[in-house]
Amino acid sequence: MANSTPTTIPMSYQTPNITFGIYLIVNDSQNEFTVCFNRTQVDSNITWQISNPVMKSLPMFAIQLSLVLFVLRLFMFILGPLRQPRFVAEILTGIVLGPTLLGQFPKYRANFAPFEGVLVMETLANLGLTFYMFVVGLEMDLMPLRKIESKALNIALAGILGPTAIGIGLYFMLEKFLNASITHTPIKGAIFWAIILTLTSFPDLARILSDLKLLHTDLGKTALTSAIINDLTAWLLLVGTVSAINGRQNIFAVVPTMLFILTYWILLRPVLGWIIQRTASTNGTSVEGKYSDTHVFFILIGVVISGFISDFCGSHSMIGAFMFGLIIPGGDLGTKIMDRIEEYITGIMLPPVFFVTGLRANLRDHLFPKQMDNFVPFIVVLVIILACSAKIVSTFIVSLFLNISSQDALALGILMNTKGVLAIIVLNEGRSLKGINNQTFATMMVSILIMTAMVNPIVGFFHKATRRLRRFQLRTLEKNKQDSELRVLVGVHSLRNASGLISLLQISNATPKSPMAIFFVHLVELTGRASAMLVFHDTHHKHNYNYSTLNREKADVDQIISIFQSYERDNIAVSVQPLTAVSPYTTMHEYISSFAEDKGVTIILLPFHKKQGNNDDQNPEHRQVNKNLLETAPCSVGILVDRGLQASLHGDSQHNAQKCYVAMFFIEGRDDREALAYAWRMARCPGVVLTVVRFIAGKAAEDMIAATGNYDDDKFLVAMTERQDMKQMDDRYVNEFRFRAMCDQSIKYMEKRVDSADHIVQSIRSTYSDMDLYIVGRGEGVMPPLISGLSGWSDCPELGALGETLVAAEFTSHASILVVQQGKSAWKRSVMDQKGKLGINSVGSNTLIVNHKKGGDLGNDD
């Protein structure tokens, strides 16, 4: 219509079709009619057919886009503390701005969502979908599919077959009760429902796993691998369904789409890879040098062309864009493209998709219409519940058959139920192709919202509960059996840190009876807008991970991995798993702690943050990571001050000397027992000579403690009781060490009675100043009277009083120092066990009643 005055058309529900105007509207009775709107006609001698098309469309588009972005950010702010993904906020934005809520008000519909005012938003939404699918293809890594495990494959098949059957059944069930089919072939709608329930959104799942610190765990890797299979399967089903429906009059209409996909994968992919590799080798080493904005421009042009070709073949333009993104090799170019367009696509071009989707879903009228009988709402709710639980149940059952614990099986089922933008795309395609009516559209939209919203809270709750239970099952060096596997996590910031830690591992006695599993973690600060992650590296292939994803030049990670691989090849009792932790320094300890907990790591080894011979802080952030791990690590932590430990191991090549002299100083406490346990393991390594010195308070020190105490003070009595308990645990462990090491010629044990910290330092200077490595406990939570004088000027509390003294002393400047702290959670478990053995009962919160015999004096005073 193009009149100067409005035209009104009666909405006859008896007439099935009215062709008038350009808009096709479907009412609740499923009859179709059109509506026309007023458009002002101008003189024919003027170029524009309307007064000003820019002034007509642009203000409305700007208002709508601003409104969508404002409501979206508001929901993201509200749902942020609830740890809900962005996708949930986007769906809620569409529902609020649609006829379900604000659309009920006539003024809002007239001013913000008129019929003619949605055209530009729909155009931007379609373009946004095209570029979004390109980004999804660019992010998707198909490498895990080459080495897919049977467990992940079976879980993926369970997530495909079960939901497919249930989706088809639920669709027909809902159609039967609502009696609202708008198509002569309802099988189309059943297929779209099956696709929606089958898919698992890979990008959204990766973000949820990263947020829950599960991305690097076995559970997270299995979920991601299965999600890739589910996503690709759903995508192929969507391509086939759309092509078949569009070419329903000629089955050969599907052939062009298949040829397009095969041409891109078989022909264009190798050619594009060759061009990119040649460009990279020609233009330099940095990201900016390899690829310019011109390269990005041509790639974006390729996205549009690919979308046009696939649309010309009878499919949707997003299929061509997805294929184009999938064939671009991962690396610097993909990173540069993501840096340029990702925020714009997800922040500007994608929100209109949910605005348009919300306008199509009237949840109030379509789910619970007034003219329906009372039993229909019950059916709708039942269908939603069954749709949400289809994938959970099928994945849970198959996981149990694969010997996965019930808790992990349930978490895996919920994770695999994660939906995303692809589900909304399938839903809209189903409605556009008349396979899904208004009622089924609204029902599935609510189901998608519930599926995704429940993932983070439920899995997060179970994950935290599992972590709390698992903390008490972690091993410590003190509790480890002599011939058990030692699982070590080694954190390295740069190549300079690697040599000393490798040398420490070399003397940690890895044997076939007592092997070592080493998880080498390259600690990298997160920069730019990338997401925190853990990147696993293949130890059997050359490492090609590129640091440009973090806006950094490629570091020396290849050399570090090569060093660890060489150590693994030289020792058959060692297995190495290299990975990269990419995170801000403020939260890096969370990723390390979570990984150590999941892998059952016994000790975490970290480098000291200062350079050799430099008293200034090299990197305060590195120091903060160490301090955070000491507070939160679920296992023991060792900080190595490396001063050429590697050189001392090689010795004098002319005399073929391979001796490494290690001294362990024992005072008291759980940290000292843990340090002794590590030194004990080292002593069994050929070439290591261990000297263990236990400093015991002399008579003068005991008299001083007794003189300063007040026996009427409850706090003093509690402290003395706890100290006696600690001394008995120390005596038991030291005596066990002495008994088992009495025939070992490489171990020397002695005790020295001292009266002050100065006597300890003097004894070390005079007798034990020629060692290659000193091992001490940090002494966290205890303050032995013997070293109380060393803590007044502490500058590095993460080393403990004695450790810091050794680092600062001139007579130990040639030697490396290892400071060990036992994990706090493991210590609590150890204390509970010891209380049960010693007959210690808790009284109130601070008082302990001890029922045991007094420990005998060890004598042997030097």
Side-chain angles (χ1 to χ4, degrees):
M1 292 289 296
N3 301 324
S4 59
T5 57
T7 301
T8 305
I9 301 176
M11 298 183 183
S12 174
Y13 293 100
Q14 303 300 324
T15 305
N17 292 288
I18 301 179
T19 305
F20 194 86
I22 61 173
Y23 289 102
L24 182 65
I25 298 178
V26 181
N27 62 3
D28 290 337
S29 63
Q30 308 308 322
N31 292 321
E32 299 179 356
F33 62 95
T34 57
V35 63
C36 64
F37 59 92
N38 182 38
R39 176 180 293 174
T40 303
Q41 183 73 37
V42 297
D43 297 336
S44 58
N45 59 349
I46 300 179
T47 303
W48 304 112
Q49 292 185 357
I50 57 177
S51 58
N52 191 331
V54 177
M55 294 304 297
K56 181 67 178 178
S57 302
L58 185 59
M60 178 62 66
F61 167 73
I63 293 174
Q64 290 175 339
L65 184 60
S66 300
L67 182 63
V68 170
L69 297 180
F70 173 77
V71 177
L72 174 59
R73 290 296 171 181
L74 181 62
F75 272 115
M76 291 176 63
F77 175 77
I78 296 173
L79 299 177
L82 302 179
R83 306 183 73 175
Q84 288 295 327
R86 178 191 179 111
F87 178 69
V88 174
E90 290 170 334
I91 292 183
L92 292 177
T93 299
I95 293 175
V96 169
L97 297 179
T100 304
L101 291 178
L102 294 180
Q104 297 290 325
F105 301 98
K107 290 187 177 181
Y108 170 82
R109 294 198 305 268
N111 294 288
F112 296 100
F115 289 111
E116 68 275 19
V118 186
L119 293 177
V120 180
M121 289 292 283
E122 287 183 343
T123 303
L124 182 63
N126 289 328
L127 187 62
L129 286 179
T130 300
F131 276 96
Y132 175 78
M133 290 306 298
F134 165 74
V135 171
V136 172
L138 194 63
E139 287 183 328
M140 187 171 290
D141 183 13
L142 301 183
M143 286 296 294
L145 298 182
R146 298 183 180 180
K147 299 180 294 182
I148 184 173
E149 299 179 354
S150 59
K151 178 173 65 174
L153 180 60
N154 291 330
I155 291 174
L157 291 176
I160 294 172
L161 300 178
T164 297
I166 295 175
I168 293 175
L170 290 178
Y171 178 83
F172 282 108
M173 173 183 174
L174 192 63
E175 285 288 313
K176 177 181 178 181
F177 281 97
L178 294 180
N179 193 22
S181 177
I182 65 172
T183 175
H184 298 294
T185 55
I187 189 62
K188 292 190 300 184
I191 295 176
F192 281 110
W193 267 47
I195 295 174
I196 293 173
L197 295 186
T198 296
L199 65 88
T200 300
S201 177
F202 175 81
D204 294 273
L205 177 61
R207 294 185 185 96
I208 290 176
L209 290 173
S210 178
D211 184 50
L212 294 174
K213 307 298 185 295
L214 290 173
L215 188 62
H216 52 280
T217 63
D218 293 336
L219 178 67
K221 289 188 289 184
T222 301
L224 280 180
T225 305
S226 302
I228 293 177
I229 300 175
N230 283 179
D231 250 9
L232 290 177
T233 303
W235 181 80
L236 291 175
L237 289 174
L238 178 62
V239 172
T241 302
V242 173
S243 301
I245 293 175
N246 290 336
R248 58 186 178 274
Q249 296 178 353
N250 183 6
I251 190 63
F252 294 102
V254 183
V255 175
T257 301
M258 298 297 106
L259 290 177
F260 164 77
I261 294 175
L262 293 176
T263 301
Y264 263 52
W265 186 259
I266 298 176
L267 298 180
L268 185 59
R269 184 173 64 94
V271 173
L272 192 61
W274 178 81
I275 294 175
I276 292 175
Q277 185 178 8
R278 184 177 178 85
T279 303
S281 60
T282 304
N283 295 344
T285 57
S286 66
V287 181
E288 291 74 10
K290 290 180 180 179
Y291 307 106
S292 63
D293 291 338
T294 304
H295 296 96
V296 178
F297 168 77
F298 278 108
I299 291 295
L300 297 183
I301 291 295
V303 176
V304 178
I305 295 176
S306 300
F308 171 76
I309 296 175
S310 62
D311 192 74
F312 181 78
C313 292
S315 298
H316 198 287
S317 59
M318 64 181 179
I319 295 174
F322 176 78
M323 277 303 304
F324 190 66
L326 199 62
I327 66 175
I328 295 179
D332 293 338
L333 180 59
T335 299
K336 191 175 184 67
I337 295 172
M338 294 290 289
D339 289 341
R340 291 290 189 272
I341 67 172
E342 185 180 20
E343 286 296 323
Y344 178 75
I345 291 174
T346 58
I348 302 296
M349 300 183 70
L350 201 58
V353 175
F354 297 92
F355 175 73
V356 174
T357 302
L359 293 179
R360 296 175 176 177
N362 191 338
L363 304 186
R364 178 185 301 177
D365 295 338
H366 292 157
L367 291 184
F368 308 108
K370 297 179 181 179
Q371 65 269 26
M372 292 294 183
D373 297 330
N374 292 331
F375 72 89
V376 172
F378 168 76
I379 296 299
V380 171
V381 173
L382 179 62
V383 169
I384 292 176
I385 293 175
L386 293 176
C388 293
S389 59
K391 200 157 194 174
I392 298 176
V393 173
S394 61
T395 304
F396 178 78
I397 294 174
V398 173
S399 299
L400 292 180
F401 278 103
L402 296 174
N403 296 323
I404 298 177
S405 65
S406 58
Q407 197 168 22
D408 286 346
L410 179 61
L412 191 58
I414 296 174
L415 288 170
M416 295 299 294
N417 215 24
T418 304
K419 306 300 177 185
V421 179
L422 185 57
I424 297 298
I425 294 173
V426 177
L427 191 62
N428 280 289
E429 281 298 305
R431 187 179 185 277
S432 300
L433 297 174
K434 297 185 179 180
I436 297 178
N437 59 26
N438 293 333
Q439 283 77 19
T440 53
F441 183 91
T443 303
M444 185 51 71
M445 189 171 180
V446 173
S447 301
I448 292 172
L449 176 63
I450 295 175
M451 291 178 199
T452 307
M454 70 181 185
V455 173
N456 220 324
I458 296 179
V459 177
F461 173 78
F462 281 112
H463 174 54
K464 291 180 180 179
T466 304
R467 290 185 64 182
R468 287 194 296 268
L469 293 175
R470 196 179 297 168
R471 283 176 182 269
F472 295 101
Q473 301 172 2
L474 295 177
R475 296 171 297 175
T476 64
L477 289 165
E478 179 185 356
K479 295 297 181 182
N480 261 10
K481 296 180 181 180
Q482 293 287 329
D483 296 330
S484 61
E485 181 187 47
L486 178 63
R487 302 175 73 84
V488 184
L489 190 151
V490 181
V492 177
H493 295 283
S494 64
L495 182 62
R496 181 182 57 84
N497 307 139
S499 58
L501 291 170
I502 282 287
S503 301
L504 183 64
L505 295 173
Q506 288 175 343
I507 60 175
S508 296
N509 191 41
T511 63
K513 291 185 177 180
S514 180
M516 289 177 58
I518 301 172
F519 302 96
F520 149 64
V521 184
H522 187 214
L523 307 177
V524 179
E525 183 184 13
L526 175 66
T527 58
R529 297 186 298 270
S531 300
M533 56 185 162
L534 275 165
V535 181
F536 287 79
H537 308 292
D538 190 348
T539 59
H540 302 290
H541 297 84
K542 185 178 179 180
H543 172 59
N544 291 321
Y545 177 71
N546 200 298
Y547 278 81
S548 62
T549 56
L550 315 173
N551 296 327
R552 295 179 51 167
E553 299 297 331
K554 186 173 181 180
D556 47 10
V557 62
D558 289 327
Q559 299 182 42
I560 302 175
I561 293 179
S562 178
I563 294 174
F564 277 87
Q565 288 177 344
S566 177
Y567 172 53
E568 182 182 22
R569 287 192 299 267
D570 294 340
N571 197 324
I572 61 174
V574 173
S575 62
V576 177
Q577 170 63 71
L579 60 149
T580 298
V582 183
S583 171
Y585 282 130
T586 54
T587 59
M588 187 173 288
H589 63 283
E590 298 178 2
Y591 280 84
I592 299 175
S593 296
S594 179
F595 180 81
E597 187 174 341
D598 180 72
K599 296 299 181 181
V601 169
T602 305
I603 186 169
I604 300 174
L605 298 178
L606 301 168
F608 190 50
H609 68 279
K610 293 183 180 180
K611 293 182 180 179
Q612 179 181 353
N614 188 355
N615 293 326
D616 297 331
D617 284 355
Q618 176 208 354
N619 195 326
E621 286 79 10
H622 294 177
R623 179 184 185 183
Q624 191 61 43
V625 172
N626 293 356
K627 295 174 69 174
N628 291 338
L629 279 172
L630 288 171
E631 293 296 323
T632 62
C635 59
S636 300
V637 179
I639 298 179
L640 176 66
V641 183
D642 180 29
R643 291 172 173 173
L645 181 60
Q646 184 178 17
S648 64
L649 283 175
H650 291 291
D652 187 355
S653 59
Q654 295 180 354
H655 299 86
N656 198 24
Q658 294 292 332
K659 295 294 184 181
C660 180
Y661 295 92
V662 181
M664 190 274 147
F665 301 131
F666 190 101
I667 299 177
E668 67 176 44
R670 61 184 185 274
D671 292 349
D672 285 22
R673 294 196 300 272
E674 194 75 358
L676 177 58
Y678 200 177
W680 191 358
R681 181 183 178 94
M682 287 183 182
R684 298 192 292 273
C685 181
V688 173
V689 179
L690 173 64
T691 301
V692 178
V693 182
R694 185 181 186 185
F695 294 104
I696 301 175
K699 187 175 184 304
E702 294 288 354
D703 293 342
M704 180 184 65
I705 296 173
T708 57
N710 182 6
Y711 287 94
D712 294 331
D713 189 354
D714 293 339
K715 293 183 179 180
F716 177 76
L717 293 176
V718 170
M720 291 297 296
T721 303
E722 292 179 347
R723 187 164 179 265
Q724 291 176 4
D725 174 55
M726 184 184 302
K727 184 177 184 301
Q728 185 166 356
M729 288 188 285
D730 292 344
D731 291 344
R732 179 181 291 106
Y733 191 73
V734 170
N735 288 337
E736 180 184 0
F737 164 75
R738 293 178 61 186
F739 176 76
R740 295 192 179 187
M742 64 174 57
C743 297
D744 194 334
Q745 298 299 322
S746 64
I747 299 178
K748 299 178 182 179
Y749 173 83
M750 56 192 67
E751 294 179 355
K752 286 186 173 294
R753 290 192 176 271
V754 291
D755 295 324
S756 65
D758 292 338
H759 290 172
I760 294 177
V761 176
Q762 183 179 357
S763 176
I764 296 174
R765 178 188 291 109
S766 60
T767 312
Y768 311 107
S769 60
D770 57 347
M771 299 295 173
D772 299 314
L773 175 66
Y774 295 96
I775 303 178
V776 296
R778 184 191 178 199
E780 171 66 11
V782 297
M783 180 50 64
L786 291 178
I787 62 172
S788 59
L790 301 176
S791 60
W793 51 273
S794 177
D795 183 51
C796 298
E798 63 269 25
L799 297 179
L802 183 56
E804 186 174 3
T805 301
L806 293 176
V807 171
E810 182 180 354
F811 59 87
T812 59
S813 59
H814 65 284
S816 301
I817 296 98
L818 177 64
V819 180
V820 180
Q821 173 186 291
Q822 192 177 79
K824 292 185 177 181
S825 59
W827 166 70
K828 293 179 181 178
R829 177 65 176 174
S830 176
V831 169
M832 294 175 62
D833 291 343
Q834 291 295 335
K835 288 180 181 179
K837 293 178 181 179
L838 299 177
I840 304 175
N841 302 315
S842 297
V843 180
S845 58
N846 297 319
T847 308
L848 295 176
I849 299 177
V850 184
N851 181 18
H852 58 77
K853 295 182 180 179
K854 184 178 180 182
D857 190 3
L858 293 176
N860 195 19
D861 184 7
D862 266 357

